Amino acid sequence: MSQIDIPLEQESAVYKTLLESTKAIPWSIHWDSLSFSYIGPQIEALLGWEPASWVSVQDWAERIHPEDREWAVNFCVAQSKAGVDHEADYRALCKDGSYVWIRDVVHVVRREDGSVDSLVGFMFDISERKRTEQRLIELQRELEALSFKDGLTGIANRRRFDAVFEEDWVDARRSGKPLSLLVIDIDYFKQYNDHYGHVQGDYCLKMVAKVLEKAVRRSHDFLARFGGEEFVLVLPETDAASARQVAERCQELLVQEWIPHERSMTGKALTVSIGVGTVVPMFGDERQSFLELVDRRLYQAKLRGRNRIADAD
């Protein structure tokens, strides 16, 4: 028997069997009454709701997650009214109270005069895909965080400093509030490495980073490893006197830690030299020039015998 000889009812049954044997959930809605004319039995296996409970589009709307409902309903209704095929991803409510991610693919059936006759479509379970996408987002965030972290000390790295310094510079210029910067260098660190070895030198850098972290008391203060044995502290909304106090606190905390350094020319314990600068950025000022100024002050602290704070030329 050829295909054209198959009775219409038998042919419809074949199509229905095919539709109901797929994982996709077929459905159709009468546009004028906004009522379901059909929904595949697979819906019960996925969401727990019996096919007979899908009567109107209101049933569909009420079974969308509250956070997704407004935009999903508005989007689908608007696209359907315009006669545009579309698809939407949203979380659908299961009968047991849990949610499943659904992709609803909608085709608009139009009459000869162009008016909307009905909607037909398929629902797909995309929960696994969404979980994969979320994990990829999390991994991307983790990688981004790692790219901004110094691998040895665990604090922020130079790349992160550049970004934060730029943000704080713009904020200070906008607000007219002072921005302070400390550049900190471990005294005689080469001699420390030569005497104790590079493994102990790495451990020393970690200890210094932890000490400097204790000196940071406000959530918006920022510490980073600048490179080698240098560290930087960015202090928003901090005047020169307060910046000097932070520098002194860094040195005091390091004294309390008392990290032995037998080859130091400043004593028997590890010390640091610190350059300090404060600025209220004006239009046309360059943050790189300010950074270079503070770095020169660090150099002056070293020239004056190390274990010094230099906050003026």
Side-chain angles (χ1 to χ4, degrees):
M1 180 182 292
S2 65
Q3 185 176 353
I4 61 173
D5 294 325
I6 299 176
L8 183 59
E9 291 183 1
Q10 185 178 342
E11 186 175 353
S12 297
V14 170
Y15 287 139
K16 184 178 180 181
T17 300
L18 289 172
L19 286 173
E20 294 180 356
S21 65
T22 66
K23 291 185 177 181
I25 304 167
W27 56 266
S28 62
I29 291 176
H30 288 301
W31 181 252
D32 292 338
S33 63
L34 294 179
S35 60
F36 279 89
S37 56
Y38 177 78
I39 191 164
Q42 305 99 310
I43 195 71
E44 186 170 1
L46 179 61
L47 300 181
W49 304 103
E50 300 81 357
S53 69
W54 297 79
V55 178
S56 70
V57 294
Q58 188 64 30
D59 298 312
W60 165 73
E62 289 177 352
R63 292 167 183 172
I64 296 177
H65 193 288
E67 294 178 2
D68 302 337
R69 184 178 300 141
E70 183 176 359
W71 78 261
V73 171
N74 290 343
F75 172 73
C76 290
V77 169
Q79 295 296 96
S80 298
K81 283 182 177 179
V84 178
D85 294 347
H86 56 280
E87 58 183 56
D89 294 352
Y90 55 82
R91 288 164 288 181
L93 175 66
C94 297
K95 197 171 184 178
D96 64 6
S98 61
Y99 286 92
V100 171
W101 272 102
I102 292 290
R103 172 161 294 170
D104 222 341
V105 180
V106 184
H107 172 65
V108 182
V109 180
R110 305 167 73 103
R111 301 185 183 96
E112 289 185 3
D113 63 0
S115 62
V116 178
D117 176 71
S118 59
L119 306 177
V120 296
F122 288 91
M123 294 181 184
F124 298 88
D125 177 6
I126 60 169
S127 298
E128 186 61 36
R129 180 184 304 177
K130 283 292 183 180
R131 282 192 288 269
T132 300
E133 289 175 356
Q134 183 60 37
R135 182 56 184 151
L136 288 173
I137 291 172
E138 292 170 357
L139 287 172
Q140 185 176 0
R141 288 173 179 168
E142 290 174 11
L143 288 172
E144 184 176 346
L146 287 172
S147 72
F148 285 135
K149 184 179 291 187
D150 178 57
L152 177 64
T153 63
I155 63 174
N157 60 14
R158 172 66 185 269
R159 180 184 177 192
R160 182 59 178 157
F161 161 73
D162 289 338
V164 169
F165 187 34
E166 179 179 5
E167 292 171 4
D168 287 341
W169 181 271
V170 172
D171 288 344
R173 186 170 59 193
R174 184 186 302 116
S175 67
K177 295 181 179 179
L179 173 67
S180 291
L181 184 69
L182 277 62
V183 180
I184 305 163
D185 186 84
I186 299 175
D187 295 326
Y188 300 107
F189 187 69
K190 181 182 183 303
Q191 289 82 352
Y192 186 97
N193 266 334
D194 291 343
H195 182 68
Y196 295 100
H198 290 281
V199 173
Q200 184 62 28
D202 287 348
Y203 181 66
C204 173
L205 289 170
K206 294 177 185 179
M207 288 192 292
V208 171
K210 289 185 180 299
V211 169
L212 296 179
E213 281 184 311
K214 294 177 184 177
V216 178
R217 294 180 175 176
R218 302 179 305 174
S219 60
H220 56 286
D221 293 340
F222 176 80
L223 171 68
R225 185 181 177 193
F226 195 62
E229 65 271 25
E230 284 192 348
F231 299 84
V232 283
L233 260 174
V234 184
L235 306 172
E237 301 180 18
T238 303
D239 59 24
S242 298
R244 173 83 186 196
Q245 291 174 359
V246 173
E248 290 172 350
R249 186 160 66 244
C250 289
Q251 290 190 321
E252 290 167 3
L253 289 169
L254 196 59
V255 169
Q256 293 173 19
E257 190 70 24
W258 209 90
I259 302 171
H261 187 354
E262 294 183 7
R263 294 298 177 88
S264 174
M265 302 296 290
T266 61
K268 294 299 182 181
L270 196 79
T271 59
V272 293
S273 297
I274 305 175
V276 183
T278 301
V279 65
V280 178
M282 305 298 289
F283 183 78
D285 290 344
E286 295 183 0
R287 64 181 184 280
Q288 184 62 31
S289 298
F290 176 60
L291 174 59
E292 291 171 357
L293 168 66
V294 180
D295 194 54
R296 286 197 300 271
R297 289 180 178 174
L298 168 65
Y299 183 68
Q300 289 169 4
K302 287 180 165 295
L303 288 178
R304 294 169 186 169
R306 292 181 171 82
N307 193 22
R308 297 285 191 276
I309 298 170
D311 51 8
D313 295 330

